C-alpha cells in the first residue's frame, strides 16, 4: 500500500482527531459569522461582488445573493460535523476563489474593501487597502480547509455516528465482513 493510501485508510490518532475537530469548528464559525454578517444586506453584497469587476453583470446578483447562504450552510455542516470532507473541499475552493479575486484586485490597482466580513465597496483615496492581511488570512483558511479535507474524522461529528458499522446478531458488519466476538474492528 502506498503512503498516501495508507494515511487515508489508517485510524487517526487522538491528537489528529483533536486537530481535525478544532479545524472543523473554527472553519464552521468563520463561515457562520461571514454569512450571517452579509445575509441581511443584499445590496451591500451586490456592491461587494460588483466592485471586483470580474463577473459579467448578469452573474453579479445571483452570486451576491447566493454566497451568504452557501457560507451559512457550510458553517452549519462543519459545526455539526456532517459531510465534513465535502464541506472542507467546497470551503477550499471558495477560499481559492477569494484569494484569486483579492489578488486580481490588488494587481489591477483597485482600491476596494473585499466585503469578506462586511459589505465591501470602493475605498476613498485616503483609506488603506488590506490586501496583504486578507490574502494571508484566506491562505491560512485554505490550508485549514485542505487539512480538514485530507483528515475529516474528528470528535463531536455526526459523520462519525453515520460511519459506525452496524453489527447484526450473526456477527457481521454492514459491509458483510465477519467479526469475531470480542475483537475490535479497526478497518477505518
Amino acid at each position: 500500500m502506498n503512503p498516501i493510501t495508507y494515511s487515508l485508510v489508517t485510524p487517526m490518532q487522538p491528537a489528529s482527531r483533536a486537530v481535525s475537530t478544532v479545524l472543523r469548528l473554527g472553519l464552521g464559525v468563520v463561515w457562520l459569522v461571514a454569512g450571517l454578517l452579509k445575509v441581511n444586506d443584499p445590496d451591500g453584497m451586490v456592491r461587494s461582488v460588483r466592485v471586483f469587476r470580474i463577473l459579467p453583470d448578469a452573474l453579479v446578483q445571483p452570486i451576491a445573493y447566493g454566497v451568504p447562504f452557501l457560507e451559512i450552510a457550510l458553517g452549519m455542516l462543519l459545526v455539526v460535523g456532517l459531510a465534513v470532507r465535502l464541506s472542507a473541499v467546497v470551503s477550499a475552493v471558495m477560499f481559492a476563489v477569494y484569494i484569486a479575486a483579492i489578488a486580481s484586485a490588488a494587481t489591477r490597482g483597485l482600491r476596494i474593501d473585499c466585503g469578506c466580513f462586511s459589505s465591501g465597496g470602493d475605498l476613498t483615496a485616503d483609506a488603506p487597502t488590506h490586501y496583504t492581511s486578507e490574502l494571508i488570512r484566506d491562505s491560512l483558511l485554505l490550508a485549514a480547509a485542505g487539512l480538514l479535507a485530507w483528515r475529516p474524522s474528528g470528535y463531536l461529528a455526526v459523520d462519525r455516528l453515520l460511519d459506525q458499522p452496524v453489527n447484526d446478531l450473526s456477527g457481521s458488519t454492514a459491509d458483510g465482513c465477519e467479526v469475531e466476538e470480542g475483537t475490535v474492528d479497526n478497518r477505518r
Side-chain angles (χ1 to χ4, degrees):
M1 184 180 310
N2 72 40
I4 294 173
T5 305
Y6 178 77
S7 68
L8 290 173
V9 298
T10 55
M12 288 179 61
Q13 299 299 319
S16 294
R17 287 192 188 278
V19 169
S20 177
T21 302
V22 169
L23 291 175
R24 178 176 54 81
L25 294 174
L27 282 174
V29 168
V30 166
W31 282 132
L32 283 172
V33 169
L36 291 171
L37 288 173
K38 294 182 240 179
V39 75
N40 288 325
D41 187 11
D43 293 334
M45 273 305 296
V46 168
R47 187 173 52 255
S48 291
V49 172
R50 184 171 282 130
V51 78
F52 280 95
R53 298 168 184 89
I54 295 173
L55 295 173
D57 226 26
L59 292 179
V60 169
Q61 236 174 347
I63 298 291
Y65 290 162
V67 164
F69 292 103
L70 178 58
E71 292 175 346
I72 292 168
L74 284 171
M76 289 174 28
L77 287 170
L78 288 168
V79 166
V80 300
L82 183 61
V84 174
R85 180 168 276 146
L86 175 63
S87 299
V89 168
V90 172
S91 295
V93 169
M94 288 185 62
F95 288 127
V97 168
Y98 293 166
I99 290 166
I102 293 167
S104 170
T107 301
R108 291 180 288 140
L110 300 178
R111 299 187 46 74
I112 64 171
D113 176 6
C114 75
C116 298
F117 292 95
S118 64
S119 53
D122 285 309
L123 295 173
T124 61
D126 58 337
T129 62
H130 301 284
Y131 296 139
T132 303
S133 62
E134 291 165 349
L135 289 169
I136 291 170
R137 178 200 60 217
D138 287 353
S139 295
L140 291 172
L141 291 168
L142 172 61
L147 286 171
L148 189 58
W150 177 48
R151 291 292 202 157
S153 294
Y155 296 112
L156 308 170
V158 172
D159 281 351
R160 285 198 66 194
L161 297 174
L162 298 175
D163 287 344
Q164 296 294 323
V166 178
N167 290 331
D168 63 17
L169 296 177
S170 70
S172 65
T173 61
D175 60 5
C177 296
E178 294 295 319
V179 178
E180 291 181 35
E181 190 171 323
T183 62
V184 178
D185 183 15
N186 283 328
R187 286 178 277 139
R188 294 198 280 153

